[in-house]
Amino acid sequence: MKLLTESEQRQVAAAIERIERDTDAELVTVLAARADDYTYISLLWAGLVALLLPGPVNLVGGWLSAGHLLLAQWATFILCSLLFRLPAITTRLVPRAVRHWRASNLARRQFIELNLHRTEAESGMLIFVSEAERYVEILVDRGISSRLDDSTWQAIVETFTAQVKRGETLQGFLTCIEACGALLKEHLPATHERNELPDRLVILS
């Protein structure tokens, strides 16, 4: 999976810098290749296929002894566990609810690890994207949520999610940042010059 280039990352950083001139909000963006490697999911599916496939196939053909059937199951398990670890396949094996749950957990961990909960005015904002899960979330601290309801960001998130699905991650970030910036400028305008957190895109590969 191809994440943004250094040049594209600089474009995102520049967009953050522009909107922070007009608001007291502290904006951080995070782009993750995937929220989890889902190893347990791959092994679970491989185990199910190994248990269910060789037996019925042998029942039709009847050419394998018990020992050979066991070897066939082992071989099927090993082959499937390797095949199912390919990101394009793994993502399709994981239920959407599980993928979004894992991505949401990662977003909240990033909010804490990047100290967005420790800004002076409680005005931290995280724009989080996980590409494999095609998941976008905006998290804000109390200084912003007290002025803008969480539902305010829903349309922005939906637009960004559609862009990620089309492979337009860079444009999605730029559009999202500008849309958030317009709302923040109106409801949380700049009262003094301050930049507590780095203006950059954090990449999690």
Side-chain angles (χ1 to χ4, degrees), residues 107-123:
R108 281 152 179 75
R109 290 203 306 272
Q110 287 299 301
F111 192 91
I112 299 300
E113 290 175 11
L114 295 170
N115 292 319
L116 282 156
H117 63 304
R118 288 189 168 182
T119 60
E120 184 178 330
E122 297 183 318
S123 58

Side-chain angles (χ1 to χ4, degrees), residues 89-104:
I89 297 178
T90 303
T91 302
R92 299 178 186 278
L93 295 176
V94 182
R96 181 181 178 186
V98 173
R99 287 186 278 121
H100 285 190
W101 174 65
R102 294 299 298 164
S104 181

Side-chain angles (χ1 to χ4, degrees), residues 4-191:
L4 299 187
T5 65
E6 290 187 12
S7 174
E8 292 170 332
Q9 293 176 43
R10 286 195 293 270
Q11 291 183 57
V12 174
I16 296 171
E17 185 179 358
R18 280 195 305 273
I19 72 161
E20 285 191 350
R21 295 179 190 141
D22 299 320
T23 176
D24 280 342
E26 292 288 339
L27 176 61
V28 173
T29 53
V30 173
L31 174 60
R34 59 195 305 110
D36 197 334
D37 61 10
Y38 303 107
T39 300
Y40 62 100
I41 296 290
S42 302
L43 294 177
L44 175 62
W45 276 101
L48 287 173
V49 172
L51 284 173
L52 298 177
L53 183 61
V57 170
N58 188 56
L59 189 62
V60 174
W63 60 82
L64 294 177
S65 65
H68 287 144
L69 178 60
L70 182 59
L71 288 175
Q73 288 179 314
W74 287 353
T76 302
F77 175 78
I78 293 171
L79 178 62
C80 288
S81 63
L82 293 174
L83 180 64
F84 293 164
R85 282 185 63 83
L86 296 174
I89 297 178
T90 303
T91 302
R92 299 178 186 278
L93 295 176
V94 182
R96 181 181 178 186
V98 173
R99 287 186 278 121
H100 285 190
W101 174 65
R102 294 299 298 164
S104 181
N105 283 347
L106 180 57
R108 281 152 179 75
R109 290 203 306 272
Q110 287 299 301
F111 192 91
I112 299 300
E113 290 175 11
L114 295 170
N115 292 319
L116 282 156
H117 63 304
R118 288 189 168 182
T119 60
E120 184 178 330
E122 297 183 318
S123 58
M125 166 183 269
L126 173 67
I127 298 175
F128 175 87
V129 178
S130 185
E131 282 200 337
E133 288 79 9
R134 294 181 172 84
Y135 181 85
V136 177
E137 186 169 5
I138 295 176
L139 297 174
V140 299
D141 206 355
R142 285 173 290 188
I144 299 176
S145 62
S146 64
R147 305 189 188 196
L148 287 162
D149 190 81
D150 288 345
S151 60
T152 304
W153 316 110
Q154 188 58 40
I156 298 174
V157 167
E158 289 175 357
T159 299
F160 196 173
T161 302
Q163 290 173 303
V164 171
K165 289 179 179 178
R166 295 195 299 266
E168 301 170 0
T169 304
L170 172 61
Q171 188 56 50
F173 267 116
L174 299 179
T175 302
C176 179
I177 290 168
E178 291 300 323
C180 290
L183 290 168
L184 293 169
K185 181 179 179 180
E186 179 182 354
H187 296 277
L188 195 71
T191 57

